Amino acid sequence: MPSSDLVPPMQAADYQQKIKQVFAEVGKVVVGQQYMVGRLLIGLCTGGHILLEGVPGLAKTLTISTLSKVLHLHFQRVQFTPDLLPSDLVGTMIYNQNQSVFEVKKGPIFANLVLADEVNRSPAKVQSALLEAMQEKQVTIGETTYPLDLPFLVLATQNPVEQEGTYPLPEAQVDRFMMKVHVDYLKKADELEVMRRMANMSYVGEVNPILTKEDIFGIRSMINQVQISETLEKYIIELVFATRKPADYDLAEFAQYVQFGVSPRASIALHRAAKAVAFFDDRDYVLPEDIKDVAGDVLNHRILLNYEAEADGIRTQDLIEAILRKVPIS
């Protein structure tokens, strides 16, 4: 590696300290959701979009909006509804009567952090408009294509309980999300703290900005330099192939349930996310535990099980856990 690419160790330590400060600042408002905050930061620092799934009231929206205040980034929230139009998201052409010309009015997608709240409540046309922005980092209005300001990150939420009036995301779009994070209920002590804090009607949660755009790009550079051995790279590939052909990995009991395994995007996401976990843990090298730590969130939404699996109560998480137990690190 050229010497010009090397970063002084103190600079890496400074960034790692700032990441810890981000957790502390978000914790001033959001209680007991450090796991979710960590996953959002992994997405932010590796350029991956995050899909949060959980029942209402678990502070998904609050966590994202609080995180946006800790970052010096342009934030927009879009409430997805069945009557939402693509132009409501990306923008449209409006006619200027004074100058007799059409002008572009940009939509809320032109931000660094976009919260797509209840993303599965919008119809396919809106979802496809979001898809172009997520994948290409650009938006087409009329006949002109506009690049989005970087960093650009979509943080989407969806409610797994209510299915009426929803439009399930197609597999191609779900695959664009680096991770799908299941947000669970809080522990008793955490919920007690939430109740006491929010029951106080004069409570105002204030946080201080910590990270700038330059910091985020600097952290990405640090993560890019984290070392991962060839053995662990091959281990990632084995995990990915095990989702496609379980029988080849002594998992014949799951073979009948798998309709499609994960795409090549999964191996890329695992590689990047494992590096981010190592960096957040103050290391410049990846351990097998880093890969296992993120495997569930990276793989769970990319595995497509058949109706037989649903009938027998087999979940994607069951398959992932079995793969992590069976696939060896050669």
Side-chain angles (χ1 to χ4, degrees), residues 49 80 84 86 89-90 109 114 116 119 122-140 148 152-154 156 168-178 265 302:
H49 309 291
F80 279 59
L84 195 72
L89 180 67
V90 302
I109 198 72
V114 177
V119 67
S122 64
K125 283 186 177 181
V126 180
Q127 293 177 3
S128 64
L130 181 66
L131 180 65
E132 180 192 2
M134 289 171 58
Q135 184 64 22
E136 308 297 336
K137 306 292 191 297
Q138 65 183 27
V139 165
T140 302
L148 296 169
F152 173 73
L153 189 67
V154 172
L169 298 176
E171 297 301 323
Q173 183 161 348
V174 172
D175 195 35
R176 257 68 175 194
F177 287 98
M178 181 185 193
R265 287 194 186 97
R302 293 183 164 96

Side-chain angles (χ1 to χ4, degrees), residues 98-112:
N98 295 329
Q99 300 180 8
S100 300
V101 293
F102 281 96
E103 296 178 344
V104 173
K105 179 176 174 57
K106 293 182 178 180
I109 198 72
F110 287 89
N112 300 116

Side-chain angles (χ1 to χ4, degrees), residues 51-284:
L51 178 61
L52 301 178
E53 184 175 88
V55 297
L58 297 182
K60 299 184 295 293
T61 303
L62 177 64
T63 302
I64 295 171
S65 61
T66 303
L67 182 62
S68 71
K69 296 174 184 175
V70 181
L71 310 171
H72 285 281
L73 298 176
H74 182 202
F75 171 72
Q76 288 280 13
R77 177 181 183 270
V78 183
Q79 183 66 50
F80 279 59
T81 56
D83 60 348
L84 195 72
L85 299 174
S87 58
D88 297 328
L89 180 67
V90 302
T92 187
M93 305 286 289
I94 60 173
Y95 186 69
N96 186 327
Q97 291 184 337
N98 295 329
Q99 300 180 8
S100 300
V101 293
F102 281 96
E103 296 178 344
V104 173
K105 179 176 174 57
K106 293 182 178 180
I109 198 72
F110 287 89
N112 300 116
L113 280 181
V114 177
L115 168 56
D117 220 350
E118 296 191 279
V119 67
N120 56 333
R121 290 201 177 278
S122 64
K125 283 186 177 181
V126 180
Q127 293 177 3
S128 64
L130 181 66
L131 180 65
E132 180 192 2
M134 289 171 58
Q135 184 64 22
E136 308 297 336
K137 306 292 191 297
Q138 65 183 27
V139 165
T140 302
I141 304 175
E143 297 179 353
T144 309
T145 299
Y146 301 90
L148 296 169
D149 188 26
L150 299 179
F152 173 73
L153 189 67
V154 172
L155 307 173
T157 70
Q158 66 177 15
N159 180 356
V161 178
E162 297 175 356
Q163 298 302 323
E164 283 188 42
T166 62
Y167 304 81
L169 298 176
E171 297 301 323
Q173 183 161 348
V174 172
D175 195 35
R176 257 68 175 194
F177 287 98
M178 181 185 193
M179 290 190 282
K180 179 181 178 181
V181 182
H182 292 279
V183 184
D184 207 350
Y185 289 109
L186 296 172
K187 296 177 181 177
K188 289 181 181 179
D190 291 332
E191 189 148 347
L192 179 63
E193 175 61 25
V194 170
M195 181 182 68
R196 287 171 173 167
R197 186 180 296 185
M198 295 304 175
N200 180 2
M201 289 181 282
S202 61
Y203 170 77
V204 178
E206 294 183 355
V207 293
N208 299 312
I210 302 294
L211 291 179
T212 64
K213 283 185 184 181
E214 292 72 22
D215 289 331
I216 292 168
F217 288 123
I219 292 170
R220 287 186 182 181
S221 176
M222 304 280 117
I223 292 173
N224 209 35
Q225 294 175 39
V226 171
Q227 298 298 310
I228 180 169
S229 67
E230 185 179 350
T231 300
L232 291 183
E233 288 181 329
K234 289 180 178 178
Y235 176 60
I236 289 174
I237 298 302
E238 295 296 332
L239 292 177
V240 166
F241 271 72
T243 68
R244 301 170 188 169
K245 297 182 178 180
D248 294 350
Y249 294 84
D250 197 22
L251 292 165
E253 67 272 23
F254 287 98
Q256 60 178 319
Y257 299 123
V258 178
Q259 189 170 352
F260 292 106
V262 301
S263 73
R265 287 194 186 97
S267 54
I268 299 169
L270 268 177
H271 196 280
R272 289 182 178 179
K275 282 186 170 185
V277 170
F279 182 75
F280 290 177
D281 202 29
D282 300 340
R283 284 182 280 109
D284 61 356

